[in-house]
Amino acid sequence: MRYISTRGQAPAVSFIDAVLAGMAPDGGLYVPESWPALGAWVREAGIREYASVASVVLQAFAGADLTPKELHTISTRAYGADSRFDTPAVTPLIQLGANHWLLDLARGPSLAFKDIAMQLIAPLYDCALERHDRRLTVVCATSGDTGGAAVEALKRSDRVDLFVLLPKGRVSEVQRRFMTASGGQNVYAVEVAGDFDDCQAIVKSLFADRTFAANAQLSGVNSINWARIVAQSVYFLRTASALCGPGAVDFVVPSGNFGDAFAGHVAKQIGAQIGRIGLATNANDILPRTLQTGRYERAARSHATLSPAMDIQVASNFERLVFEATGRDGSTTASLFQSLSQSGGFDVPDAALAIMRREFAGVASSDERTAQVIAEIHAEYGALICPHTAVGFASFGDEPAWFDHPTVFLATAHPAKFPETVEAATGVKPSLPAHCADLFDRAERIDTLPNDTEAVKRFIQERSRAWS
Ligand SMILES: *Cc1c(COP(=O)(O)O)cnc(C)c1O
């Protein structure tokens, strides 16, 4: 399987190269040259073990890049009996009502759904780096949860040094501690005086400096990384297959960078019976606004909300949907995203917008409604949910049209990651699971840098063991 850029100006590369590079050299994102078909096997995915479904999906996207033995090792390390998920189901499905369900994606080491992809990326990197006897410098910008998941996954990878940029004062204490108190010697948590979009902009300029990127052997694990999308498509596929009767299954996805929701689209492309995907956002509503008005436009500033992992102005993976919905037209996609960087927005072509609206709906919810929903779900089901998960229910929980089919709400983080918000809404303080109960007793290590690419470059150059 070869990977091409959404902007049509970069050479096609292999799966491993697409994963290690993160972004294509023309500024686009990698997508597969064509969609693999999994065929009738998809129907059985719901009754197979998680690791074996992941192995089949990974094989479909990696093609000849990974041997059967490597596929087995990677998927077993990520999701098998000795995995770091605290349940063999990996992503347990909980029935809430006649036609609606909660998919618990927060059972991994850093208590957020980002663990599911990161736990796969770590053995995948190890495998690729060992093969070529290489080291990597991995950088990632985080709105809170990607960083912790990357740290937990990569802190034991000897060939990787990890630099996480987090927005100062914009992540919860539990989120921060997952980045600063891992004990990993190859891990650097760097607070940047700015918001998530500033951190993301710095990471983009690190990659844009080709010399720096080559010297540092730079790689990114942000949600644009193709391996993350592949890994996340597994639970959509497996869940749709488990619940699917004669019709399709709908999903409600708390959304920020549009990686998770796009993974749902990918699962559908490879044969999962998925109907519509609801994009639930907080006040940072670029996705619902785009679906409503047809104009993709960044806001002046991101709003700080109760669901900080979704405090994002620009949904990076949306570029992949634009590429798909324009009939995989790289030159149109390139010119639309050039106007985004030059003038802050673009109009989605009408035909593409119609295609998007058939598959996706978008609703934004306020903090006030989100807090109410945390209380309502607790009162009705006795369950504590995190504020991001609550945005899903706040946005789509009252829309009867969504319950014609089985509807699955994704629970994207553990409530104990946001204890103040959950306790304020319910009066109950969620406790940390046993595997990380000592989080507040561990020593923290963190550096603070100005919102300045050059300062970040110096910091990395001085520390990275991959530097050449
Ligand atoms: C990252 C994150 C999201 C948003 O996911 P995207 O793939 O960026 O759309 C939602 N909820 C939580 C808890 C997250 O960490």
Side-chain angles (χ1 to χ4, degrees):
M1 174 69 70
R2 308 287 290 171
Y3 287 81
I4 55 175
S5 165
T6 49
R7 301 198 187 174
Q9 295 294 318
V13 298
S14 69
F15 174 77
I16 295 276
D17 287 343
V19 169
L20 292 181
M23 199 184 292
D26 61 357
L29 307 185
Y30 284 116
V31 287
E33 207 162 46
S34 61
W35 293 107
L38 294 187
W41 176 88
V42 165
R43 304 235 162 87
E44 290 169 35
I47 53 167
R48 300 271 197 102
E49 278 181 32
Y50 201 99
S52 77
V53 179
S55 172
V56 170
V57 172
L58 188 57
Q59 147 114 74
F61 283 104
D65 261 23
L66 295 171
T67 65
K69 186 158 174 281
E70 288 169 334
L71 279 167
H72 179 79
T73 307
I74 292 169
S75 45
T76 314
R77 249 183 74 191
Y79 310 117
D82 298 326
S83 84
R84 297 192 61 208
F85 292 89
D86 71 1
T87 161
V90 183
T91 60
L93 185 61
I94 300 151
Q95 184 159 21
L96 293 181
N99 240 353
H100 68 295
W101 307 72
L102 186 77
L103 185 64
D104 185 356
L105 302 177
R107 305 297 289 268
S110 77
L111 310 183
F113 86 93
K114 308 285 199 304
D115 285 324
I116 296 169
M118 292 297 177
Q119 288 297 311
L120 186 81
I121 279 190
L124 186 60
Y125 270 21
D126 285 347
C127 166
L129 296 176
E130 258 160 50
R131 215 196 265 171
H132 302 293
D133 193 20
R134 278 180 62 188
R135 283 185 181 281
L136 276 188
T137 304
V138 174
V139 289
C140 92
T142 183
S143 57
D145 290 327
T146 296
V151 167
E152 280 302 318
L154 294 170
K155 69 182 185 186
R156 299 196 184 105
S157 290
D158 191 40
R159 292 174 177 273
V160 171
D161 293 307
L162 172 64
F163 296 84
V164 176
L165 306 187
L166 57 131
K168 191 171 162 60
R170 297 282 284 262
V171 304
S172 81
E173 184 170 5
V174 181
Q175 285 179 314
R176 190 191 69 231
R177 283 181 172 271
F178 275 116
M179 298 182 246
T180 59
S182 71
Q185 293 305 307
N186 61 335
V187 166
Y188 301 89
V190 180
E191 259 181 348
V192 173
D195 63 13
F196 169 73
D197 295 286
D198 295 322
C199 295
Q200 184 155 266
I202 292 177
V203 169
K204 282 189 178 157
S205 29
L206 297 180
F207 280 97
D209 179 343
R210 301 269 191 94
T211 314
F212 177 84
N215 287 341
Q217 302 281 303
L218 205 60
S219 180
V221 291
N222 272 106
S223 71
I224 55 162
N225 187 301
W226 181 248
R228 285 185 59 183
I229 308 274
V230 170
Q232 289 167 196
S233 74
V234 172
Y235 49 76
F236 282 96
L237 182 91
R238 209 164 157 264
T239 306
S241 156
L243 292 183
C244 164
V249 177
D250 293 336
F251 285 87
V252 172
V253 184
S255 293
N257 242 329
F258 193 63
D260 208 12
F262 190 77
H265 172 82
V266 168
K268 191 170 174 172
Q269 296 303 305
I270 60 177
Q273 295 289 308
I274 293 174
R276 298 187 79 203
I277 297 174
L279 307 174
T281 73
N282 58 31
N284 299 284
D285 62 349
I286 186 165
L287 292 166
R289 251 192 298 124
T290 303
L291 288 171
Q292 209 163 56
T293 65
R295 184 154 178 85
Y296 185 75
E297 187 164 322
R298 72 169 83 221
R301 214 65 204 146
S302 68
H303 305 279
T305 72
L306 292 179
S307 42
M310 311 195 302
D311 291 351
I312 284 171
Q313 291 177 72
V314 175
S316 305
N317 280 288
F318 188 66
E319 179 163 344
R320 289 188 161 112
L321 184 65
V322 169
F323 181 72
E324 292 299 316
T326 54
R328 310 198 116 210
D329 181 342
S331 62
T332 299
T333 307
S335 72
L336 294 177
F337 281 87
Q338 262 140 29
S339 25
L340 176 68
S341 56
Q342 279 154 16
S343 58
F346 61 80
D347 293 317
V348 179
D350 287 345
L353 186 62
I355 289 172
M356 291 176 185
R357 283 177 174 159
R358 272 204 291 280
E359 185 168 344
F360 295 96
V363 178
S365 292
S366 66
D367 273 355
E368 192 189 1
R369 182 70 196 122
T370 301
Q372 274 171 4
V373 161
I374 296 175
E376 285 168 18
I377 297 278
H378 182 243
E380 202 167 331
Y381 305 106
L384 294 177
I385 56 171
C386 94
H388 307 79
T389 308
V391 168
F393 287 100
S395 299
F396 289 93
D398 296 326
E399 300 230 354
W402 280 80
F403 301 103
D404 288 349
H405 299 140
T407 301
V408 180
F409 291 82
L410 302 193
T412 51
H414 192 286
K417 233 172 163 175
F418 307 92
E420 295 82 10
T421 305
V422 174
E423 187 175 8
T426 62
V428 180
K429 186 167 185 215
S431 47
L432 288 165
H435 64 82
C436 55
D438 66 343
L439 189 64
F440 282 80
D441 306 328
R442 299 187 218 142
E444 288 192 85
R445 196 182 76 176
I446 188 160
D447 289 278
T448 304
L449 290 180
N451 179 9
D452 170 23
T453 303
E454 294 307 316
V456 174
K457 280 185 190 164
R458 279 193 299 278
F459 185 89
I460 293 175
Q461 178 170 356
E462 283 159 14
R463 289 163 182 81
S464 166
R465 291 171 300 166
W467 192 269
S468 60

